[in-house]
Amino acid sequence: MNELDSLKFSNRFAELPEDLFHKQNWTPFDKPKLIHFNADLAKQLGFPKNLNPEDLVPYVNGNKSFKNSSPLAMAYAGHQFGSWVPQLGDGRGILLGQLQTKDGLMDLHIKGAGKTPYSRFGDGRAVLRSTIREYLCGEAMHYLNIPSSRSLIMIGSDEPVFRETTEFGAMMVRVAKTHVRFGHFEYFSHNNKAEFIPILLDHVIENYFPMLKDSQDSYTDLFEMIVNSTAKLIAKWQAFGFAHGVMNTDNMSILGETFDFGPFGFLDEYDPGFICNHSDHGGRYAFNNQPSIGLWICHALAAALKDHIEIEETKSIINGYEQVFYDELTALFRKKLGLEKNDADDLKLVEELLSWMQKNKMDYTYFSPEEYCPVLGLQHKEEGEREKGIAILRDLVENESNKDAMYVLGLLYNDASSINLCSIDDFCLGQNFSNYKEAKKIFTQLYQNYNDPRAAYALAEYYDCLLYTSPSPRD
């Protein structure tokens, strides 16, 4: 028996009414080639220990099928840059199915799968450049403890794909807890299909929030959990300097995971108005707008669910978003600064620090690592040392001449950032595509370094200079 046949696939979404999706296979490449296999993630998903990644390629490419999988393209809609778009959906993706793991149900989704009924004017393909970027960002987010989708495997091809320039087509298997988005509920609410909303709500509760099945008001309780997880996710983005770039309602997971990576970016110097998406001319999704956009999309979800959730309680939940966000953000900054005890002035301290960092164009990432915060005396347990450390920090905030001291926190990160990625731009642009051995070597080296959390910080810091090729709005 093929060892891959032992995987216990299902597709619970395929059991729902067909108004929610379109069942189909995907379009294979003529000559698929393995780019990279994430052995660590494969282990977590329960793939055979001695699996040869080459054996997985025909399954990813669509030449073979997993037993009990039921591939489909999901239907949804959403607000894109604040404007309502009534029909979106998986325009280049196929939900392959789910695997039950020790961490719960996990979706496997093919990205770059070719055309679906929701492709509109697109070609349904992904390019190698954006696929590599998504893989790297998903891994960095994971090891920074930011909830995120990850990539199991990437395959490439010689198939030309036309963006700003001619690139090469690629597919990857994206792994996430769910691909149900805020936009799913909007699709039904605004397209006269409201009868499907409770069906999808029940599906979400059954598969992801079974503790709510006995609740007296499970839908409102579910809404609260979605709002809170969204607030906490965005607090993590802000703490680590991550800019998503396209926080449309169709790009936001109802389980508070980061996914749908497009023209994302990480802060270098602290610039709260940083815009990573060159098509975001108005700055709607600028870094400092992300928390308020998170609240906006929660309002959009509440509007879609208005006939199924208790209105007064919903208002209270929405009003609590800001407190959940700031509680999480403050807790993360306490770790960054080595503050061991909660203090009512901690958030004010953070605000003063950020103002100083913006004024002096300080590096945001190099100020992150908590293990070096004892330099400022903030992590000492002796009586009075915490207060002394805060005084030192306030002096740094107020005295520009001390700004160089802030870089002490990042000095030991220089070695971690020297990962050999000299050839990565060639692979992203397809200029050296045949050199797969070198590509594998680079990814292996990256993966080994991820086990050191310092490398994850350093990688976040150096994304722009190592991986930057201006992403297409369609990627």
Side-chain angles (χ1 to χ4, degrees):
M1 183 183 72
N2 187 328
E3 59 184 354
L4 289 172
D5 289 338
S6 64
L7 292 170
K8 296 181 179 180
F9 260 96
S10 65
N11 193 337
R12 301 183 187 182
F13 201 85
E15 299 170 5
L16 299 176
E18 292 190 2
D19 293 71
L20 281 72
F21 54 80
H22 176 263
K23 287 188 176 182
Q24 67 170 92
N25 290 315
W26 58 103
T27 308
F29 292 131
D30 289 337
K31 298 178 180 179
K33 302 173 183 180
L34 176 66
I35 299 296
H36 181 67
F37 176 66
N38 192 333
D40 177 62
L41 180 56
K43 180 180 179 181
Q44 295 179 37
L45 293 172
F47 276 76
K49 293 181 180 179
N50 299 320
L51 175 66
N52 181 349
E54 294 285 358
D55 293 339
L56 191 55
V57 171
Y59 290 87
V60 177
N61 195 49
N63 304 116
K64 294 183 178 181
S65 59
F66 290 106
K67 185 179 180 180
N68 296 325
S69 64
S70 183
L72 57 87
M74 301 171 110
Y76 47 84
H79 284 86
Q80 296 194 324
F81 290 90
S83 298
W84 171 245
V85 181
Q87 177 70 72
L88 293 168
D90 286 334
R92 59 175 174 175
I94 295 291
L95 179 63
L96 180 61
Q98 291 94 33
L99 288 173
Q100 185 66 51
T101 75
K102 61 181 180 61
D103 298 318
L105 202 62
M106 302 297 288
D107 277 3
L108 272 66
H109 181 275
I110 308 291
K111 182 175 180 178
K115 289 187 176 182
T116 76
Y118 315 115
S119 297
R120 294 177 288 173
F121 301 107
D123 56 23
R125 289 302 193 193
V127 299
L128 184 61
R129 166 181 50 83
S130 61
T131 304
I132 290 175
R133 293 181 83 248
E134 178 161 346
Y135 174 89
L136 290 175
C137 193
E139 290 300 282
M141 299 287 267
H142 172 74
Y143 285 102
L144 288 169
N145 294 316
I146 301 174
S148 175
S149 64
R150 299 173 69 188
S151 301
L152 173 66
I153 185 173
M154 292 188 296
I155 64 173
S157 74
D158 296 320
E159 180 180 308
V161 177
F162 302 99
R163 296 294 184 259
E164 277 84 356
T165 184
T166 302
E167 304 187 47
F168 291 100
M171 293 188 210
M172 69 174 223
V173 177
R174 178 166 62 194
V175 178
K177 291 182 179 178
T178 186
H179 282 75
V180 177
R181 310 150 189 266
F182 282 53
H184 274 91
F185 296 100
E186 290 185 295
Y187 174 69
F188 299 122
S189 176
H190 299 296
N191 286 303
N192 297 316
K193 296 176 180 286
E195 67 271 20
F196 296 108
I197 292 178
I199 295 174
L200 186 56
L201 287 170
D202 290 341
H203 169 82
V204 171
I205 290 172
E206 176 70 28
N207 290 287
Y208 307 107
F209 299 98
M211 74 291 291
L212 297 181
K213 288 194 289 185
D214 296 328
S215 169
Q216 292 184 347
D217 190 355
S218 59
Y219 295 165
T220 304
D221 291 343
L222 172 62
F223 177 73
E224 181 175 18
M225 297 185 80
I226 293 173
V227 169
N228 290 348
S229 65
T230 300
K232 291 178 180 180
L233 173 67
I234 297 174
K236 290 181 171 66
W237 290 358
Q238 302 305 110
F240 287 94
F242 174 75
H244 186 279
V246 279
M247 291 176 64
N248 302 327
T249 56
D250 58 294
N251 292 335
M252 300 297 291
S253 166
I254 52 98
L255 295 187
E257 282 191 308
T258 312
F259 74 174
D260 276 357
F261 294 98
F264 67 85
F266 285 86
L267 293 182
D268 290 318
E269 69 181 42
Y270 179 58
D271 173 15
F274 172 62
I275 301 171
C276 62
N277 186 347
H278 64 71
S279 63
D280 185 6
H281 304 296
R284 176 180 174 84
Y285 298 139
F287 178 75
N288 59 345
N289 285 342
Q290 291 183 144
S292 60
I293 291 296
L295 179 58
W296 192 95
I297 64 174
C298 288
H299 275 285
L301 180 61
L305 300 179
K306 65 182 185 300
D307 295 329
H308 305 278
I309 52 180
E310 203 282 317
I311 298 302
E312 291 305 315
E313 182 63 23
T314 297
K315 292 178 181 178
S316 176
I317 293 167
I318 288 288
N319 290 336
Y321 170 96
E322 183 175 344
Q323 188 64 51
V324 174
F325 170 81
Y326 279 114
D327 284 349
E328 181 73 10
L329 185 68
T330 306
L332 290 167
F333 267 96
R334 286 193 188 103
K335 291 182 179 180
K336 285 189 172 189
L337 300 177
L339 302 175
E340 292 191 334
K341 298 179 182 179
N342 296 356
D343 190 283
D345 290 334
D346 286 346
L347 182 57
K348 182 180 179 182
L349 183 70
V350 171
E351 291 172 347
E352 291 176 355
L353 172 63
L354 293 177
S355 295
W356 177 84
M357 292 178 74
Q358 180 183 7
K359 180 179 179 181
N360 292 282
K361 301 183 184 299
M362 300 302 300
D363 189 286
Y364 194 72
T365 301
Y366 272 176
F367 193 70
S368 297
E370 63 182 274
E371 56 262 48
Y372 300 123
C373 286
V375 172
L376 298 180
L378 297 181
Q379 208 163 337
H380 293 187
K381 296 182 179 180
E382 291 79 9
E383 187 68 27
E385 286 300 305
R386 180 179 185 277
E387 289 71 19
K388 185 188 297 184
I390 292 176
I392 293 172
L393 181 57
R394 288 192 184 280
D395 183 64
L396 285 170
V397 171
E398 296 167 1
N399 187 347
E400 293 181 22
S401 65
N402 285 333
K403 65 180 183 180
D404 289 340
M406 304 295 278
Y407 282 105
V408 173
L409 301 177
L411 288 178
L412 296 180
Y413 281 67
N414 289 334
D415 290 339
S417 66
S418 62
I419 301 169
N420 178 20
L421 288 175
C422 59
S423 301
I424 196 70
D425 284 331
D426 289 338
F427 292 111
C428 289
L429 295 174
Q431 297 168 356
N432 191 19
F433 189 74
S434 62
N435 195 344
Y436 291 103
K437 290 184 179 179
E438 182 65 20
K440 291 179 182 179
K441 179 180 177 182
I442 289 172
F443 278 109
T444 299
Q445 190 172 6
L446 277 170
Y447 177 74
Q448 290 171 344
N449 278 278
Y450 280 129
N451 292 324
D452 182 348
R454 293 179 299 176
Y457 279 106
L459 189 61
E461 160 66 12
Y462 285 98
Y463 261 126
D464 286 339
C465 62
L466 292 177
L467 295 177
Y468 181 74
T469 56
S470 183
S472 164
R474 290 173 290 179
D475 287 337

